[in-house]
Amino acid sequence: MKKYVMVLFILCLFITLPLSSYASIDEGKNDKLNNNPTQGLDDISGHWAEPSIRIALIAGYVNLDEDGKLNPDTYVTKEEFLDMVVRALKLPNREQVKGESRFVSIIETAKKADIYKNDDYEQDLTKPLTREEMILTLERATHKVAYSQTYENMKRDVIDRRKKYYVELEDDKKLILSLEGFHVNLDDYDNPKEIYTKITKWDINKQQEFIKQNEKEGRQYCSPIINDLTCNNKNEQLIYKSFDRYKTFLSVLERMLNDIPDKLDKTFNKMSKNQMIFETIRRGLISGTNRGELSLEALSTRAQAIVSIERVLAFNRGEHLEYDKYAASVAEINWHNTNLMSMLPKYFGNLESEYTEQQLAQIFKYEADDGNLINETEKFILVDLDDPNDLHRNLYTDKLITVLKNESGKLELTPFIKANAYALIMVNKYKFNKDYEFGEFFGNRIVISQNDPASKLDPKVSYLFSINQFIRYSYEFKTKFGRGSGYTQGFTLPGVNKYIGNEHEYLAGYLILKDQLRLAEPGNQIEIKFDQPTIYGDQAIYGERYTIFTSQVRKD
């Protein structure tokens, strides 16, 4: 009888074990561990991920093997990782159907919650998880929170910018709030329409009082129009001016706030894989394996999976996570050919573009004259000249020459500045398939400007050009831009024969002094314009200018 009971107990235990070689700690596999999950587990003691692992053990979303070990340095499979994410996020999961793998319901839940799509992973989910596959799930697991955070940031940017340009704001608010019987919160900028409605209602009621009082006193009613010359009671005209300005401010603010969801949807809907990789790194969910190395095909360990999941949970709680700026820089260049957002988040962290990735690629690759002129911008990168570990610092700076504005505003040659500055370098390639006589060739260039007449910042402090293609030119023929002389990159035509049929690289850009950059005030809008190549001469070719990105300076 005892032998029969023992066999039955073992059989029941076998049936209740999951099909995976790992058992969940909350299934009662190890009573000692369940009572105190931070004790034991010799295979995590002293491990680099031990703190995160112990937090995960307490949370109960980590699986142990049949010996009660975590095995932190073994590769995690795709289905095991999804299981961990689903349980860490506490997503509702249906009960396991008899005879099916417990991962079937986990995958269904992950799809329903939009944290996994079929083409995210190679379809054999029992295989080890790659870093790229992990990244896609990490982005999806934080996508909604990131959307909400970005919305709030953009809303603050819009409000700050409108307030910046409303110079009478504080005086008008003070006057309006001083009015008898006025009880409206004028600082609730999240709801400008509601403020507008309350102000309008109060204004109409007050007008009715004025009309009656004016009729009683035989005065002409003062219409609420700025500079109404028929107004007899001039003191009340101040009220109308303040009301008119403030209501205009609210109307514009409401329209700009209503535009935010459309802009966000362009950024967050249908993200490309490269954008998802960048966003995941920028959110601090995963770092590079080495300085600037993404190692997307590398396999992920259980410890790495746990650490990343803990970062997901922290991000979704609203915690600010530091990110690997070198890895983010590489990922951003892979996404949209620049690293501005990674390198200077205060100034370019909310970079926007009206163009899609495909449209930008078409703008950056310029072909003219039936393919006889081909000019392509591969990337434009920001280099921190004070950071010895900057990935691009030694790739291009030795090939550049600086043309600096002197105190009188004229341009003059100067040695390349390598301290207290950023270099914005545009990497271009050009190819001629025929000779162009009597003219000059000027390649692509980037123009940074601030759409703010009161701005103290002049980002175009100096110009950077390739040493081997730098010339001072003085063109005497008339162009659509008039006559003049100055410094540029390029070369004089004819003489282009040596370039025909071959592809050549040239560099151009700006040197941005950090002391100048600090003068940029929060709320200032920055525009990045892109000029396509131009040939002046008998056979003129004029490229177009595009505003490819806009951004707004944020508070520290």
Side-chain angles (χ1 to χ4, degrees):
M1 181 66 178
K2 290 182 179 180
K3 183 176 180 180
Y4 172 78
V5 172
M6 181 59 71
V7 171
L8 182 62
F9 171 77
I10 293 173
L11 180 61
C12 292
L13 181 61
F14 175 78
I15 293 174
T16 57
L17 282 175
L19 296 180
S20 169
S21 60
Y22 292 93
S24 173
I25 65 169
D26 58 2
E27 293 175 2
K29 177 69 180 71
N30 190 320
D31 291 336
K32 180 180 178 181
L33 185 59
N34 281 323
N35 293 333
N36 192 345
T38 62
Q39 300 297 321
L41 287 178
D42 294 338
D43 61 343
I44 70 167
S45 180
H47 194 276
W48 65 271
E50 180 180 357
S52 295
I53 293 173
R54 293 199 179 279
I55 293 172
L57 288 171
I58 294 173
Y61 66 81
V62 179
N63 294 340
L64 304 176
D65 69 7
E66 296 174 354
D67 297 324
K69 293 185 177 297
L70 184 80
N71 300 314
D73 295 320
T74 59
Y75 295 134
V76 64
T77 68
K78 308 173 200 296
E79 59 188 8
E80 286 167 353
F81 179 65
L82 284 177
D83 179 46
M84 294 164 66
V85 174
V86 165
R87 288 196 284 146
L89 295 176
K90 294 181 169 56
L91 299 177
N93 188 44
R94 68 168 175 81
E95 293 185 4
Q96 179 181 348
V97 176
K98 183 178 180 180
E100 75 174 3
S101 167
R102 67 187 179 90
F103 292 118
V104 172
S105 62
I106 290 294
I107 293 168
E108 289 176 359
T109 299
K111 287 181 179 180
K112 187 176 180 180
D114 290 327
I115 63 173
Y116 169 68
K117 296 186 183 298
N118 282 335
D119 57 354
D120 286 350
Y121 300 173
E122 292 184 6
Q123 284 308 295
D124 188 350
L125 301 185
T126 65
K127 298 293 185 181
L129 181 79
T130 66
R131 277 171 55 85
E132 180 177 301
E133 291 168 337
M134 177 191 287
I135 284 172
L136 299 182
T137 300
L138 298 179
E139 194 287 321
R140 297 193 192 282
T142 53
H143 188 90
K144 293 179 181 178
V145 173
Y147 184 101
S148 298
Q149 290 180 356
T150 306
Y151 175 82
E152 291 300 320
N153 290 335
M154 292 180 70
K155 186 167 67 175
R156 296 277 78 78
D157 289 343
V158 166
I159 293 172
D160 289 345
R161 182 163 178 77
R162 293 312 308 162
K163 289 170 67 177
K164 176 182 175 65
Y165 287 104
Y166 185 1
V167 293
E168 305 94 349
L169 175 60
E170 294 305 320
D171 290 338
D172 285 351
K173 283 170 54 180
K174 184 177 180 181
L175 177 62
I176 294 171
L177 290 172
S178 70
L179 299 175
E180 181 181 356
F182 189 87
H183 305 292
V184 179
N185 180 11
L186 298 183
D187 294 321
D188 186 16
Y189 297 122
D190 290 346
N191 301 290
K193 185 176 182 179
E194 183 177 342
I195 302 177
Y196 187 97
T197 300
K198 291 180 178 179
I199 287 179
T200 302
K201 182 178 180 181
W202 185 92
D203 193 18
I204 292 173
N205 292 337
K206 188 57 66 176
Q207 287 180 31
Q208 296 300 319
E209 294 180 17
F210 284 162
I211 290 174
K212 294 178 182 179
Q213 186 68 21
N214 286 343
E215 290 176 349
K216 182 178 179 180
E217 298 178 6
R219 298 189 304 172
Q220 179 184 356
Y221 170 61
C222 192
S223 174
I225 301 175
I226 296 177
N227 297 324
D228 181 3
L229 300 179
T230 67
C231 182
N232 292 327
N233 41 338
K234 298 293 184 182
N235 289 336
E236 281 133 7
Q237 187 71 21
L238 291 174
I239 299 174
Y240 301 141
K241 288 182 179 180
S242 296
F243 264 84
D244 186 78
R245 284 193 296 262
Y246 197 78
K247 290 167 72 174
T248 299
F249 161 73
L250 293 173
S251 297
V252 175
L253 183 60
E254 180 189 4
R255 185 177 69 251
M256 295 180 71
L257 291 178
N258 289 339
D259 289 342
I260 291 178
D262 288 339
K263 292 181 178 180
L264 268 181
D265 288 345
K266 288 180 63 177
T267 301
F268 278 82
N269 290 353
K270 298 181 180 179
M271 279 188 180
S272 68
K273 186 176 293 186
N274 283 337
Q275 184 182 356
M276 292 176 72
I277 292 169
F278 165 68
E279 293 289 351
T280 302
I281 296 173
R282 185 168 67 147
R283 293 172 199 168
L285 307 178
I286 196 169
S287 301
T289 55
N290 203 346
R291 185 167 61 95
E293 294 183 8
L294 303 183
S295 303
L296 298 177
E297 298 303 317
L299 301 180
S300 303
T301 67
R302 293 170 58 76
Q304 290 167 343
I306 291 170
V307 169
S308 294
I309 291 172
E310 284 301 309
R311 290 178 180 175
V312 166
L313 298 176
F315 182 88
N316 286 348
R317 289 193 298 267
E319 296 182 21
H320 174 75
L321 305 177
E322 296 295 328
Y323 67 87
D324 180 348
K325 71 175 184 178
Y326 301 118
S329 178
V330 172
E332 187 185 357
I333 292 172
N334 292 342
W335 167 37
H336 61 183
N337 303 93
T338 186
N339 62 345
L340 288 171
M341 300 173 74
S342 307
M343 296 296 293
L344 284 177
K346 175 179 177 179
Y347 304 94
F348 301 107
N350 55 349
L351 212 60
E352 298 177 13
S353 179
E354 63 179 280
Y355 302 105
T356 64
E357 292 179 45
Q358 292 75 18
Q359 290 171 329
L360 284 174
Q362 292 174 355
I363 292 172
F364 291 153
K365 186 170 184 178
Y366 177 74
E367 295 189 25
D369 193 16
D370 296 325
N372 286 308
L373 167 61
I374 301 173
N375 196 105
E376 182 174 8
T377 296
E378 293 188 330
K379 55 191 171 184
F380 52 101
I381 54 179
L382 196 71
V383 180
D384 187 348
L385 299 177
D386 299 300
D387 181 1
N389 295 318
D390 189 289
L391 300 172
H392 305 99
R393 188 171 184 267
N394 297 320
L395 290 179
Y396 302 110
T397 54
D398 292 340
K399 303 177 183 178
L400 293 168
I401 192 168
T402 307
V403 183
L404 187 65
K405 288 183 180 178
N406 60 26
E407 294 181 356
S408 64
K410 294 183 178 180
L411 302 176
E412 59 184 26
L413 291 174
T414 183
F416 184 66
I417 300 173
K418 293 189 177 182
N420 196 29
Y422 292 101
L424 179 59
I425 302 172
M426 187 165 56
V427 183
N428 307 279
K429 288 185 177 179
Y430 64 86
K431 182 178 180 180
F432 289 103
N433 289 322
K434 79 172 188 179
D435 195 356
Y436 290 87
E437 295 184 356
F438 308 112
E440 297 191 47
F441 167 75
F442 310 115
N444 295 345
R445 70 173 185 145
I446 288 287
V447 178
I448 301 179
S449 63
Q450 283 203 90
N451 188 16
D452 184 353
S455 171
K456 301 175 183 177
L457 173 65
D458 178 11
K460 296 180 288 186
V461 168
S462 61
Y463 302 94
L464 301 174
F465 301 124
S466 300
I467 294 175
N468 61 341
Q469 289 165 320
F470 173 82
I471 61 169
R472 179 170 185 167
Y473 72 93
S474 178
Y475 49 90
E476 299 300 332
F477 46 86
K478 188 176 181 180
T479 74
K480 70 174 183 178
F481 301 109
R483 299 178 181 273
S485 63
Y487 292 97
T488 187
Q489 84 283 356
F491 40 80
T492 303
L493 308 173
V496 73
N497 290 324
K498 62 181 179 180
Y499 299 104
I500 291 177
N502 296 314
E503 191 173 64
H504 300 271
E505 179 184 87
Y506 73 89
L507 309 175
Y510 290 131
L511 193 70
I512 305 176
L513 302 182
K514 292 182 179 180
D515 290 341
Q516 281 279 322
L517 194 60
R518 294 186 187 102
L519 297 177
E521 298 176 352
N524 287 1
Q525 184 166 327
I526 299 175
E527 293 182 343
I528 301 178
K529 298 180 174 64
F530 178 81
D531 288 350
Q532 293 178 326
T534 300
I535 290 182
Y536 299 141
D538 289 353
Q539 185 173 351
I541 296 176
Y542 299 118
E544 300 293 332
R545 167 172 285 190
Y546 298 87
T547 299
I548 54 174
F549 294 114
T550 59
S551 186
Q552 183 171 318
V553 181
R554 288 179 171 166
K555 297 178 181 178
D556 290 323

